[in-house]
Amino acid sequence: MHDGMTLISTLAAAFGLALVLGLLAQWARLPALVGYLLAGVLIGPHTPGYVGDVHLAQQLSEVGVMLLMFGVGLHFSVGDLMSVKGIALPGALVQIATATVMGAGLARWWWGWDLAAALVFGLALSTASTVVLLRALESRELLNTGNGRIAVGWLVVEDLAMVVALVLMPVLGGAPGAAPAGADLAVTIVMTLLAVSAFVAVMLVAGRRLLPWLLWQVSRTGSRELFTLATVAAAVGLAVGAAALFGVSVALGAFFAGLVLRESAFSERAARESLPLRDAFAVLFFVSVGMLFDPRVLIEQPLAVLATLAVILIGKTLAAGALVLLLRYPLSTALTVAVSLAQIGEFSFILLGLGQSLNLVPPEAASLVVAGAIVSIALNPLLFSGVEPLRRWVLARSGWARRLEARDDPLAELPADTPHTALAGQIVLVGHGILGAALREQLGARPLVIIDRDRDVVEKLRASGQAAVLGEAAEAMTLVQAHIAQAAWLIVAVSDVRGVPAMLDLARQLNPALRCAVVTDSDEEAKWLKEAGATHVLRAQQALARALAQVVSEASAEAAPAH
């Protein structure tokens, strides 16, 4: 192919193979990202056949990281960040230190690396991939839950810590221009922290006014293309600018760009317009990781690969979970955070790349880290799917875990002054998103109890006088608090209906006469929901069509001349 088409050929091969292998992975009941990783391996320099441009793929994947973090910022307020600082800050710092010691000890005493190489290797294993975490949380609708916020806040602290580590690495290597040890090292650390603080201050003070004003001016033109362009320009431009001016990572820069836009009236539209680009470029991230993988390392150094995976999948996971439990958080939070961190990603490659450029790490370090990244990323969705079964297994066998899980939470139970009339023949509504909120309006004065996993949602509902319970509707205690035994209806208004059969089975044990209504998007889901016992299953598009037809009929009847 013509030399000038390197970018196009790399994109075509990456997207085409990712699509094919992603579909095959789904048909094999594996996560699609396993297919994306394999696509990268096939077009990488270490396998025969077509070889894509690794450097181009990595740069394009960075765009995906920026857009993804921008989207997270759009849904993650400053209040959310501050609300989890008590666990995210100490937890992330201790976990980074623990994982670094484990990785460094492995490299130093087993493989005989020098101290600097061992520390860089340990740091690379200590930080998790933001992209992988967000995809996992979004696919399970956990991003806006309390556990999801803790996991994201934890990774934000990790990102900040890695920024400091990147600045200090030249000191480790004694690179030209690096600061000497002692007082100058302390000055370097202080200057780095000041630069990060200055960036955060500029974004939260000036950015809060400038960015919404810019999008307002663009929105006034009425051009959708210009609005999309302004959104992408804000995400990418501010990320790159933050890296150049303040020395923070592009991921962190994009996150704060979204964070300051969240308070504006354009946050939902910005998230919607950037979603297709975000998804496409996120795929390139996984492909670019696969391109770095040299399969020979599995044959030449199998024990080293297994040891690396043990640190990532077992050492980090146990350390993070234990820290969360020590901070007196429930088992569900500990498992969610632990599994979230049981992988490595983009910062690991950045650390290794800088380490190689400074001649700090041996060549095999990159192969071990990439092998660990590919296997841990591929296994992460499977680990997430095991969180709930593992939680139930532990709760059934550990009284201490049950006491942690049952700690007093005023939002997990209805207030004692809830009127009895609201708890007899009531409707129990699961989920207060767009659909749930609209349904609540339509129900008017009918007795209603809402179950939601988002603490902010439940707090706002309680403040407005609406009976609401914080928790998982598939949990017996949550259903009991919603007085499901006295309810007439259970209405499920969430997009992910996979947990409905178990939820309905539990609810029917408490109330055999309970009727259940669920909204779904496909005939296949509608069929198995009916088989699971749902009395009313509505197809979303069909229900909308009927509502529109009714509007037209009523309007036509009103317009018809009287005889």
Side-chain angles (χ1 to χ4, degrees):
M1 188 170 286
H2 194 277
D3 288 342
M5 297 187 68
T6 305
L7 172 61
I8 295 173
S9 60
T10 300
L11 280 175
F15 282 134
L17 269 176
L19 172 62
V20 172
L21 295 178
L23 280 173
L24 290 175
Q26 287 279 285
W27 289 337
R29 298 187 179 278
L30 293 171
L33 62 85
V34 173
Y36 307 155
L37 291 166
L38 288 176
V41 174
L42 290 179
I43 65 172
H46 305 293
T47 52
Y50 171 79
V51 177
D53 191 309
V54 178
H55 299 295
L56 272 178
Q58 287 176 329
Q59 290 184 47
L60 290 170
S61 71
E62 280 295 315
V63 178
V65 174
M66 294 179 209
L67 292 175
L68 197 68
M69 289 301 291
F70 179 71
V72 173
L74 286 171
H75 296 95
F76 200 89
S77 70
V78 177
D80 294 334
L81 201 53
M82 297 306 293
S83 68
V84 299
K85 68 179 185 298
I87 179 175
L89 186 59
L93 294 178
V94 173
Q95 176 260 314
I96 288 171
T98 306
T100 300
V101 168
M102 287 190 288
L106 179 69
R108 177 74 170 159
W109 286 292
W110 188 3
W111 303 328
W113 295 3
D114 62 48
L115 182 59
L119 285 174
V120 173
F121 182 75
L123 276 172
L125 301 188
S126 72
T127 179
S129 167
T130 305
V131 179
V132 175
L133 170 67
L134 296 179
R135 291 292 287 268
L137 293 177
E138 285 179 338
S139 67
R140 289 162 180 78
E141 296 189 335
L142 294 174
L143 188 58
N144 293 318
T145 64
N147 291 345
R149 290 194 184 98
I150 289 171
V152 173
W154 194 295
L155 254 70
V156 170
V157 176
E158 278 194 356
D159 280 0
L160 290 169
M162 290 306 113
V163 169
V164 176
L166 288 170
V167 173
L168 297 180
M169 273 179 62
V171 180
L172 265 180
D184 287 345
L185 177 59
V187 171
T188 303
I189 297 174
V190 170
M191 292 301 292
T192 301
L193 295 176
L194 286 175
V196 172
S197 301
F199 163 70
V200 173
V202 168
M203 291 300 295
L204 295 182
V205 177
R208 269 183 169 174
R209 298 184 179 183
L210 182 60
L211 280 182
W213 177 85
L214 173 64
L215 286 185
W216 166 247
Q217 298 303 319
V218 174
S219 179
R220 289 175 61 188
T221 66
S223 171
R224 180 181 176 182
E225 292 83 0
L226 282 176
F227 188 88
T228 303
L229 181 61
T231 301
V232 175
V236 177
L238 285 171
V240 174
L245 297 176
F246 298 97
V248 303
S249 69
V250 290
L252 198 63
F255 172 78
F256 273 97
L259 198 66
V260 298
L261 264 182
R262 185 188 187 274
E263 311 301 329
S264 76
F266 302 103
S267 59
E268 288 189 10
R269 185 179 174 189
R272 187 172 61 250
E273 298 291 348
S274 61
L275 182 62
L277 280 172
R278 216 161 67 217
D279 288 343
F281 280 99
V283 168
L284 284 178
F285 166 75
F286 295 107
V287 173
S288 70
V289 172
M291 292 175 74
L292 296 172
F293 181 55
D294 185 352
R296 289 177 300 180
V297 73
L298 299 176
I299 300 171
E300 296 172 356
Q301 302 184 64
L303 293 179
V305 172
L306 288 175
T308 302
L309 284 170
V311 173
I312 299 169
L313 297 176
I314 301 174
K316 277 177 62 178
T317 302
L318 292 178
L323 283 167
V324 175
L325 291 175
L326 286 173
L327 291 170
R328 307 294 296 170
Y329 278 79
L331 181 63
S332 60
T333 303
L335 290 175
T336 300
V337 171
V339 171
S340 298
L341 302 173
Q343 38 83 12
I344 57 175
E346 54 271 18
F347 257 118
S348 304
F349 309 132
I350 295 171
L351 287 164
L352 257 295
L354 181 58
Q356 287 179 322
S357 68
L358 296 171
N359 294 318
L360 285 174
V361 294
E364 61 265 28
S367 295
L368 291 173
V369 168
V370 173
I374 286 183
V375 177
S376 64
I377 288 172
L379 290 178
N380 197 249
L382 301 178
L383 294 177
F384 257 105
S385 65
V387 165
E388 187 56 27
L390 178 60
R391 187 184 73 85
R392 291 176 180 169
W393 184 86
V394 173
L395 288 176
R397 290 160 176 80
S398 171
W400 181 66
R402 286 194 295 272
R403 287 193 295 274
L404 274 179
E405 201 76 2
R407 69 195 179 100
D408 293 336
D409 188 335
L411 296 181
E413 56 186 35
L414 286 177
D417 59 356
T418 302
H420 292 292
T421 54
L423 302 176
Q426 81 278 17
I427 297 168
V428 175
L429 173 61
V430 179
H432 195 262
I434 297 174
L435 176 60
L439 179 59
R440 178 190 167 209
E441 284 188 18
Q442 293 295 319
L443 291 174
R446 291 197 61 174
L448 176 69
V449 176
I450 297 172
I451 298 174
D452 200 279
R453 298 185 297 184
D454 192 325
R455 177 174 292 273
D456 288 346
V457 168
V458 174
E459 286 177 344
K460 290 174 182 175
L461 288 170
R462 291 273 186 97
S464 69
Q466 172 64 56
V469 177
L470 175 68
E472 297 284 348
E475 293 292 329
M477 287 307 299
T478 305
L479 291 174
V480 168
Q481 285 299 323
H483 291 252
I484 196 71
Q486 288 79 43
W489 281 90
L490 173 67
I491 300 180
V492 182
V494 296
S495 58
D496 186 355
V497 295
R498 289 175 294 182
V500 169
M503 181 196 310
L504 184 56
D505 181 60
L506 188 58
R508 287 265 169 78
Q509 292 179 34
L510 300 169
N511 185 348
L514 184 71
R515 288 173 288 179
C516 175
V518 189
V519 177
T520 183
D521 291 321
S522 70
D523 290 328
E524 184 181 351
E525 285 183 347
K527 181 180 178 182
W528 64 258
L529 284 170
K530 274 284 190 183
E531 292 172 351
T535 49
H536 295 75
V537 180
L538 285 75
R539 285 286 310 278
Q541 296 299 323
Q542 291 176 357
L544 181 59
R546 285 196 296 270
L548 288 172
Q550 183 177 352
V551 168
V552 172
S553 298
E554 291 174 355
S556 300
E558 291 174 1
H563 294 286

